[in-house]
Amino acid sequence: MTAAFAVSRSRGENGLVREHPNVIAVQDALDSAGAHTADDAPSQVIVLDAAVHTAAAAAEALCIEVGQIANSLIFDADGEPLLVLTSGAHRVDTAKVAAALGVAKLKRATPEFVREHTGQAIGGVAPLGHPKPVRTLVDTALEQYRDIWAAGGVPQAVFPITYAELVRVTAGTPADVA
C-alpha cells in the first residue's frame, strides 16, 4: 500500500502537494459541510506517495475494490458543466444520461473546460471545492459500499466519504449512469 499523509497546512513530506490550493479548497469544503466517513469521523483529504490517475490505480493504492472509487467526470452538457460521480467499476452511458437530463449533446469535456469550471485538472477533479457549484449526478452503484473514496483536487489526493454524505455535500442527484 502507498504511504499516505493527512492534509495540513504545515510543510513536511509531500508538503507541496499538501499545500496545493486545490487540496486546501477541497478540505475546506469538506470541513464546511461537516462531511464524515462511515465511522462518523470527519472526512480528511490524504495525500498518497504517487499520483493515481485511474480508478484501478487508486483502488490498488488504497487496498480497496475499484467500485469504491468515485470517479469525477466532467461533461459538456449543451455548453454547461455536468459532474458525474461514477463508480470506478463501470463507464458512464452518455446517451442514457443525456436522455434522462433532456440534454441534446453530452460529451467529455476538454481539459480547458474542466479547469474553467472546477479550477482543477483532469486526473484530480474532486466532487467539491470548485469556484462555483457544478450540477452533479451521483452514481447509485456507489451506494452498495460502506466507504467510498473520491479525488481530493490533485492526482495524489483522495478522501473517504459515504454515499449519503457524497450526495449531501455535492447537492448531487442520485442517478443510474451506467
Side-chain angles (χ1 to χ4, degrees):
M1 181 169 161
T2 302
F5 305 94
V7 170
S8 71
R9 290 189 171 88
S10 63
R11 288 207 175 266
E13 293 186 62
N14 284 340
L16 294 178
V17 174
R18 290 169 49 190
E19 292 182 0
H20 192 284
N22 290 349
V23 174
I24 292 170
V26 171
Q27 187 61 62
D28 287 348
L30 289 167
D31 292 345
S32 293
H36 60 270
T37 67
D39 294 326
D40 208 28
S43 290
Q44 294 289 314
V45 176
I46 61 169
V47 177
L48 303 170
D49 279 343
V52 287
H53 292 282
T54 66
E60 183 178 338
L62 296 165
C63 299
I64 60 172
E65 293 179 43
V66 72
Q68 290 177 259
I69 300 297
N71 280 335
S72 298
L73 304 174
I74 296 288
F75 292 90
D76 179 334
D78 292 339
E80 294 296 319
L82 173 68
L83 173 59
V84 179
L85 301 171
T86 186
S87 169
H90 60 251
R91 294 184 178 268
V92 173
D93 181 336
T94 55
K96 180 180 188 175
V97 171
L101 297 177
V103 173
K105 190 168 187 176
L106 183 69
K107 62 183 181 179
R108 283 304 272 281
T110 64
E112 297 78 20
F113 187 90
V114 171
R115 190 174 292 277
E116 174 187 348
H117 293 285
T118 68
Q120 302 164 358
I122 292 173
V125 174
L128 67 174
H130 310 142
K132 61 182 184 178
V134 175
R135 183 178 187 185
T136 303
L137 299 180
V138 184
D139 188 351
T140 55
L142 291 165
E143 192 171 21
Q144 68 184 298
Y145 299 103
R146 182 175 185 269
D147 293 296
I148 55 178
W149 289 78
V154 296
Q156 284 176 260
V158 294
F159 66 89
I161 195 164
T162 66
Y163 177 80
E165 280 293 273
L166 186 61
V167 170
R168 182 183 70 79
V169 302
T170 62
T173 302
D176 178 6
V177 300

